[in-house]
Amino acid sequence: MGGKGKVVEGRKSKKVLVPGGGVVLHATSNPDRVEAPITARAYFLCVFASFGGIFFGYDTGWMGGVLAMPYFIRLHTGLDPATTPANQFVISASTQSLMTSILSAGTFFGALMAGDIADYFGRRITIIVGCLVFSVGCVLQTASTSGLGLFVAGRLVAGFGVGFISAIIILYLSEIAPRKVRGAIVSGYQFCITIGILLANCVVYASKDRNDTGSYRIPIGVQFLWAIILATGLFLLPESPRWYVKHGKLDSAARALATVRGQPVDSTYVQEELAEIVANHEYETELMPATGYFGSWMACFSGSLRNPGSNLRRTILGTSMQMMQQWTGVNFIFYFGTVFFTSLGTISNPFFISLITTLVNVCSTPISFYTIEKFGRRKLLIYGALGMLVCEFICAIAGTISTKPSVVKLEIAMICIYIAFFASTWGPAAWVVVGEIFPIPIRARGVALSTASNWLWNCIITVITPYLVNPDKGNLQSKVFFIWGSTCILCVIYAYFMVWETKGLTLEQVDRMMEEVGSPRRSAGWKPHGTYAADMGLAADGTLAIEKGKIGHNAAHVEDGTTAASKV
């Protein structure tokens, strides 16, 4: 970057500064010109990257079924199903808690580590490393034939890999997806999670009656396929253009952006979008000067609680959003659904009912592809939580009043509708919001912290739930839905007061909106009215010149919606 240049005539007779070598940046003041038109290529790249959700979903899905397998129960308890009452032929609450939650513990730390790795080595490499770590964990779990030691160790290691993937896939998707369909694309990640859960349940259903270690080894071993597909595909995908900008590699950023937008590298669209990314990054880094390692983490918590756009408020929003998603209680069904349906005592095939709930999850998620861009993030989260709490309270009340088969059918119906509400609202929308709210300097760490929060609360819920519902402990049965219904009331209040509307905005425009709008409740009415590149200007060396508090000194100027260019 940098170098002396000469003044030449640009488009529309505007003067353009062309330093020696580098990539051309065209700055525009038109907010509609900061991104190229959507192409089939952009869709394909983003959809493939969403495949990482398979990891998350599959690992969530197979554990619940395995915990209810007769061979697996006998292996870890020594109980004989022929002489043990059905409601007592279960793995102890403590063992269920350990087996299920240890993955979430590993994922929590994996997600935190992923932020640093993604910032240093890149988003793509971090996901590939996650696939390798996950595969090692699968080997350890598959090798386990007795006892808890090797199995639990494998779950922990696999958790680190899932943490890498679940945190950085969202970051990567948010940074490469076109703004007009970013919500739908990131919702595709949630859709892949639901497909993963369904595939896990299908495999578990097929192997549940085996009377050997294949009953649980087969569901575990299938996971290698997802790791191979994702890692191989990521070798062929480009790195995030915004990561290249953060590291000052503008030539590479231009090539990567051209690839994900399906445009030639010298396209005006590519140059204008890159100029906006560069200008926003320079603006943010001037506000957050470079510091050491710990200082870069502390930047996530800088600013005042009273400032809605401060990094502290954004970090609180991201971490609490993922906490609230877990508080909806949906993972109770996906982790312990088969065990729960068995405990009701009137369902002849609880494995089949679990398969139905996962099928509802899969079929409901694509609804969000349309609604999240049509109605926005806020409305989906508010009305989704309202729908869930109604279903959960009906389920809880019905199960408390009677255990007749007809009442149990009502409970199952309410659970399916509840899952449909989650899958089309909180499931995808929570991930979409987290991927959109952080500025470039702290984006990787902010998304990592938010994902870690998801797994922390996932871990907490999976630790305590067996003690709430197991027959030898709390034995709440359907009354557990009083808890989840109550937490969904909190989700409604949270979404109304805390969540910003980011529909249809670039990531750079989200930054500006959060700076200018005083309250999330007014965010839906905000419209883009300029660009960073135009308002701040790009100096000859590609940086924003800041002198005496004025941004844009000695920078290329843009007037009346026309463009100026500087070669960087």
Side-chain angles (χ1 to χ4, degrees):
M1 294 171 62
K4 295 181 178 180
K6 60 181 180 178
V7 176
V8 299
E9 291 299 310
R11 293 181 299 159
K12 296 190 179 182
S13 300
K14 293 293 178 179
K15 291 187 175 181
V16 180
L17 185 64
V18 186
V23 60
V24 173
L25 298 181
H26 286 283
T28 178
S29 62
N30 184 351
D32 295 325
R33 289 277 305 182
V34 293
E35 191 172 273
I38 303 170
T39 64
R41 183 188 187 93
Y43 271 121
F44 174 77
L45 293 177
C46 294
V47 167
F48 181 83
S50 299
F51 185 83
I54 295 286
F55 282 84
F56 192 159
Y58 191 92
D59 210 90
T60 299
W62 71 260
M63 194 66 210
V66 166
L67 288 173
M69 284 181 176
Y71 180 85
F72 197 75
I73 295 173
R74 192 166 67 249
L75 179 67
H76 289 283
T77 64
L79 298 173
D80 185 352
T83 59
T84 306
N87 64 345
Q88 296 179 21
F89 186 64
V90 294
I91 295 174
S92 68
S94 60
T95 302
Q96 282 191 41
S97 176
L98 175 62
M99 287 180 169
T100 309
S101 63
I102 195 66
L103 176 110
S104 302
T107 309
F108 170 77
F109 291 105
L112 288 179
M113 293 170 57
D116 285 334
I117 297 172
D119 260 353
Y120 191 80
F121 294 104
R123 294 26 172 159
R124 200 169 54 101
I125 296 300
T126 305
I127 299 170
I128 294 171
V129 170
C131 292
L132 297 176
V133 174
F134 176 80
S135 298
V136 173
C138 288
V139 169
L140 296 176
Q141 291 174 81
T142 307
S144 174
T145 55
S146 62
L148 286 175
L150 195 58
F151 186 84
V152 169
R155 291 279 288 170
L156 181 64
V157 173
F160 275 91
V162 174
F164 281 26
I165 296 164
S166 61
I168 307 307
I169 281 286
I170 290 297
L171 175 63
Y172 183 70
L173 283 173
S174 298
E175 291 190 337
I176 69 171
R179 60 172 170 166
K180 293 183 179 179
V181 294
R182 187 175 60 242
I185 291 295
V186 178
S187 296
Y189 171 77
Q190 175 66 22
F191 183 52
C192 285
I193 291 176
T194 67
I195 292 176
I197 296 173
L198 177 62
L199 290 172
N201 276 268
C202 290
V203 176
V204 166
Y205 191 78
S207 66
K208 65 182 177 64
D209 294 324
R210 292 178 64 101
N211 196 33
D212 55 27
T213 58
S215 59
Y216 66 90
R217 279 175 154 178
I218 291 173
I220 296 172
V222 168
Q223 296 177 105
F224 285 108
L225 180 61
W226 319 137
I228 292 170
I229 293 174
L230 184 62
T232 302
L234 261 294
F235 273 113
L236 306 177
L237 294 184
E239 182 53 79
S240 163
R242 288 174 169 88
W243 181 81
Y244 281 128
V245 168
K246 182 172 182 175
H247 288 264
K249 301 177 180 180
L250 298 194
D251 286 336
S252 297
R255 288 192 294 270
L257 191 60
T259 300
V260 299
R261 295 291 179 258
Q263 300 281 336
V265 74
D266 59 352
S267 163
T268 304
Y269 285 114
V270 171
Q271 295 163 6
E272 289 173 346
E273 182 173 357
L274 185 58
E276 182 69 356
I277 295 171
V278 170
N280 173 256
H281 177 252
E282 292 291 336
Y283 171 73
E284 295 291 348
T285 51
E286 289 292 345
L287 297 179
M288 291 180 285
T291 58
Y293 174 77
F294 292 105
S296 62
W297 272 104
M298 291 307 297
C300 295
F301 305 96
S302 63
S304 169
L305 272 174
R306 295 182 178 181
N307 178 5
S310 69
N311 287 348
L312 175 61
R313 283 282 292 269
R314 297 185 198 214
T315 300
I316 291 174
L317 174 59
T319 53
S320 58
M321 172 66 70
Q322 292 300 310
M323 176 185 73
M324 289 294 177
Q325 190 201 55
Q326 289 298 310
W327 279 13
T328 62
V330 74
N331 276 339
F332 163 70
I333 298 298
F334 296 136
Y335 277 127
F336 303 106
T338 308
V339 176
F340 169 72
F341 294 135
T342 302
S343 71
L344 295 178
T346 57
I347 298 177
S348 59
N349 193 342
F351 284 90
F352 183 68
I353 299 300
S354 291
L355 193 58
I356 290 175
T357 60
T358 57
L359 187 59
V360 170
N361 193 29
V362 171
C363 294
S364 303
T365 302
I367 297 172
S368 67
F369 296 175
Y370 171 76
T371 56
I372 200 164
E373 299 297 353
K374 175 66 175 178
F375 303 110
R377 286 60 161 154
R378 278 175 57 83
K379 288 184 179 179
L380 248 64
L381 292 169
I382 292 170
Y383 291 110
L386 283 171
M388 285 189 287
L389 73 87
V390 170
C391 294
E392 287 171 317
F393 278 124
I394 291 175
C395 186
I397 294 169
T400 302
I401 293 173
S402 174
T403 57
K404 293 180 181 179
S406 58
V407 175
V408 171
K409 290 178 181 179
L410 174 63
E411 289 182 72
I412 294 172
M414 286 298 102
I415 288 172
C416 288
I417 297 173
Y418 152 59
I419 289 173
F421 270 111
F422 174 85
S424 57
T425 60
W426 274 83
W431 290 110
V432 171
V433 171
V434 162
E436 294 174 332
I437 59 176
F438 295 102
I440 288 180
I442 65 165
R443 185 169 294 145
R445 288 184 170 90
V447 174
L449 284 168
S450 302
T451 307
S453 173
N454 179 290
W455 288 107
L456 173 64
W457 286 99
N458 188 304
C459 181
I460 292 170
I461 289 171
T462 53
V463 166
I464 66 175
T465 298
Y467 293 95
L468 296 175
V469 299
N470 268 36
D472 61 334
K473 297 295 181 182
N475 197 28
L476 288 180
Q477 294 187 329
S478 298
K479 290 188 284 292
V480 73
F481 286 102
F482 280 120
I483 297 175
W484 307 134
S486 300
T487 52
C488 277
I489 294 175
L490 298 178
C491 290
V492 174
I493 298 170
Y494 172 86
Y496 180 76
F497 286 102
M498 294 287 290
V499 177
W500 299 82
E501 185 52 71
T502 54
K503 179 186 72 171
L505 304 178
T506 67
L507 297 182
E508 289 68 39
Q509 288 168 348
V510 171
D511 279 351
R512 171 162 288 184
M513 180 264 291
M514 295 181 78
E515 289 179 355
E516 295 181 357
V517 179
S519 168
R521 286 173 290 168
R522 295 196 295 269
S523 59
W526 186 87
K527 301 297 181 185
H529 52 79
T531 66
Y532 279 100
D535 295 348
M536 316 311 167
L538 284 169
D541 62 356
T543 63
L544 293 177
I546 298 181
E547 183 176 326
K548 297 181 180 179
K550 294 183 179 180
I551 303 175
H553 180 70
N554 289 334
H557 297 284
V558 180
E559 302 170 358
D560 302 324
T562 56
T563 61
S566 65
K567 198 164 187 178
V568 182

